Amino acid sequence: MIKVIHTADWHLGQTFFGYDRESEHRIFLDSLRRTVSEHNTDLLIVAGDVFDTPNPSSSAQKLFFEFLLSVTRDNPNLEVVITAGNHDSGMRLEAPSALLECFKVHVVGTVRHLDDGTTDYERHIIPIERDGKPVCLVLAVPYLRSGDYPEAATYGEGVGAFYASVLATAKEKFGDKIPIIATGHIQTAGAALNDGDRSERIIVGGLEAVPSSVFDKSLSYVALGHLHKAQRASAARENVRYSGSPLPMSFAERDSVKSVCLVEIPESEDNFTETKTTAIETPDPVRLVRVEGDTRHLDELLERLASFEEGKADELSPFVEVTVGIFAPEPMLRAIIERALEGRKARLTRIEAVIAKTEEKDNEENGIQDNVSVDLRRMTPMNIALDTFKRKYNHSMPESMKKILLEIIAQSQKTEQEREA
């Protein structure tokens, strides 16, 4: 039996609404190291987005290399395959490859071409060995950018052609009597996206998602990255999976259970596509809390905010998002909410103001539509005036009127500053 741990989308170095997440990542990586050891794992796959940016901080890189050192030291027979995602710099990720190979860590971040201009498909084939003999193959495919895949009518067809060529090259060299695992960092058609998580929607630069049929049915397992929800790529493909991200990337994931995939693959050539996949939950070190209310019951909202534990907020204190229904502009609302959380073990991430449902008559008089969501950071006097004008008259404010209004606002702000001085 070949045991594989599949994970992806670590996003090391990420900040969450400006808050550093290194402590959360360190807790996850310590847990992953223990999981690898407890299950006597043969292969660890990281399917892209190791880092949150192409130019990660020194502390994020240090955390990454410390993990690789500890997990390979604790598990001398472990092999590790890492591919680049759309957030990674493939070349930067590959830079220490020669050194990492000494620790059985294989990194594939880019697609390269041979001297004759053809794609070097063989470099994407990594044999996983036991006692000097290959027991399975990994088709290590990173995030495919324009120019990486063969020319085709659609992105999906180009990606499919790339995978077919890598698989054909692998079978030509190693035969078809060995389990084969493929990796990918991609969005498949029919997979579930998380509401409010913009990073999932920039994959492939706006091109369509690919069908799960691009992955040949002879593959024992397909380890995917990019989507942050753990799931099958399609209902019909049990062994084509997203492991999901180890940390929630948005408040849309506040109730989701995070995990890594344990994949068990038979070594017998008669049934090595009959894999068993088990989700292993990862720690949830920081809670994401959404607090909702409205300004007509502001005291109740403030009481809920004041219910957080007293003390100084630290790197493991809950992230808090506040959604408030408003019935008129509330310029002091943010300050009121911030004061309510002072001296509490809670980290305020954002305040969303939603224009609340009122009586129809009130709406008509004020020119306000029901259930319109706005960000308090955008609630400047000018923005409020422009928005109200457009809703009431169904067209944009004339430039001449904008100019006059800007002059009035500027003079008002100057007068206020002089008064405070």
Side-chain angles (χ1 to χ4, degrees):
M1 187 71 70
I2 302 165
K3 293 186 177 182
V4 182
I5 295 290
H6 162 211
T7 178
D9 296 282
W10 293 356
H11 289 275
L12 300 180
Q14 188 218 20
T15 57
F16 195 68
F17 293 91
Y19 295 104
D20 184 80
R21 307 193 81 176
E22 183 174 333
S23 295
E24 295 173 78
H25 280 121
R26 192 174 294 279
I27 289 171
F28 160 68
L29 291 174
D30 286 345
S31 169
L32 178 59
R33 177 177 50 80
R34 291 192 299 270
T35 297
V36 167
S37 298
E38 289 169 4
H39 292 276
N40 195 26
T41 306
D42 299 295
L43 170 64
L44 171 65
I45 293 177
V46 187
D49 281 358
V50 175
F51 297 107
D52 193 55
T53 65
N55 187 25
S57 65
S58 57
S59 60
Q61 294 180 73
K62 183 173 183 287
L63 188 60
F64 174 57
F65 291 120
E66 285 177 345
F67 168 76
L68 292 180
L69 175 62
S70 63
V71 77
T72 53
R73 182 178 54 201
D74 292 351
N75 304 274
N77 296 321
L78 177 70
E79 303 231 26
V80 183
V81 174
I82 301 170
T83 56
N86 59 300
H87 280 250
D88 297 310
S89 164
M91 295 183 67
R92 182 183 293 274
L93 205 61
E94 284 183 350
S97 290
L99 179 61
L100 293 176
E101 288 282 350
C102 299
F103 299 92
K104 300 181 183 179
V105 177
H106 316 277
V107 182
V108 179
T110 60
V111 174
R112 298 181 187 175
H113 296 88
L114 301 171
D115 293 338
D116 62 1
T118 60
T119 302
D120 184 3
Y121 291 113
E122 193 166 333
R123 76 182 296 265
H124 297 276
I125 304 166
I126 300 174
I128 304 303
E129 298 184 345
R130 185 188 296 156
D131 300 326
K133 296 181 180 180
V135 293
C136 75
L137 305 177
V138 178
L139 310 185
V141 181
Y143 168 63
L144 296 175
R145 291 177 165 83
S146 178
D148 289 340
Y149 47 87
E151 289 187 15
T154 66
Y155 178 78
E157 290 179 6
V159 169
F162 187 96
Y163 276 96
S165 296
V166 178
L167 180 60
T169 304
K171 289 186 175 181
E172 181 180 352
K173 183 173 182 178
F174 292 94
D176 58 2
K177 306 299 183 183
I178 186 172
I180 302 177
I181 302 167
T183 75
H185 195 88
I186 202 166
Q187 180 184 327
T188 57
L193 297 170
N194 282 306
D195 294 335
D197 192 344
R198 295 179 181 178
S199 65
E200 292 184 331
R201 288 163 173 75
I202 61 172
I203 187 87
V204 308
L207 295 173
E208 70 274 16
V210 304
S212 57
S213 59
V214 302
F215 306 113
D216 193 273
K217 290 186 177 181
S218 67
L219 295 169
S220 295
Y221 185 76
V222 182
L224 296 178
H226 177 61
L227 299 189
H228 299 151
K229 179 180 179 180
Q231 60 187 297
R232 286 186 290 182
S234 74
R237 302 293 299 274
E238 176 68 28
N239 63 342
V240 182
R241 288 183 173 267
Y242 291 96
S243 66
S245 61
L247 300 182
M249 305 298 290
S250 70
F251 274 87
E253 299 179 66
R254 66 188 183 279
D255 296 322
S256 63
V257 176
K258 294 299 184 177
S259 60
V260 297
C261 294
L262 169 63
V263 186
E264 297 174 284
I265 303 174
E267 295 183 55
S268 170
E269 63 185 63
D270 296 328
N271 63 347
F272 53 61
T273 59
E274 298 176 9
T275 61
K276 177 184 176 183
T277 305
T278 306
I280 300 176
E281 289 188 23
T282 56
D284 185 16
V286 173
R287 291 187 300 133
L288 272 64
V289 182
R290 177 177 288 166
V291 180
E292 299 177 315
D294 62 58
T295 52
R296 288 184 177 176
H297 304 88
L298 189 57
D299 289 345
E300 294 177 11
L301 174 65
L302 297 179
E303 283 181 15
R304 288 197 290 275
L305 294 176
S307 67
F308 285 97
E309 183 182 354
E310 290 186 13
K312 184 178 180 180
D314 58 29
E315 66 275 8
L316 297 181
S317 295
F319 292 121
V320 180
E321 179 183 69
V322 182
T323 301
V324 189
I326 63 173
F327 303 87
E330 298 282 353
M332 296 302 295
L333 184 57
R334 184 173 188 90
I336 293 170
I337 290 173
E338 288 176 343
R339 280 200 299 271
L341 286 172
E342 284 181 1
R344 302 288 169 181
K345 292 185 176 181
R347 293 177 288 176
L348 180 63
T349 58
R350 68 189 293 259
I351 302 170
E352 182 184 39
V354 179
I355 297 178
K357 186 174 180 64
T358 60
E359 294 297 327
E360 186 175 346
K361 182 179 178 181
D362 293 339
N363 286 346
E364 291 176 355
E365 291 176 355
N366 294 300
I368 294 176
Q369 295 178 344
D370 290 341
N371 300 323
V372 179
S373 174
V374 293
D375 192 322
L376 282 183
R377 289 171 293 185
R378 289 183 51 79
M379 287 186 65
T380 64
M382 189 65 185
N383 283 339
I384 293 170
L386 292 173
D387 188 54
T388 302
F389 187 98
K390 188 168 185 178
R391 291 180 193 169
K392 191 164 186 176
Y393 299 103
N394 201 31
H395 63 83
S396 298
M397 182 183 290
E399 290 299 320
S400 58
M401 189 176 293
K402 285 184 188 178
K403 184 177 179 181
I404 294 171
L405 184 56
L406 283 170
E407 291 174 354
I408 294 171
I409 292 172
Q411 183 60 44
S412 175
Q413 291 174 339
K414 181 180 179 181
T415 302
E416 184 66 23
Q417 290 171 357
E418 290 173 349
R419 185 183 298 116
E420 292 177 353

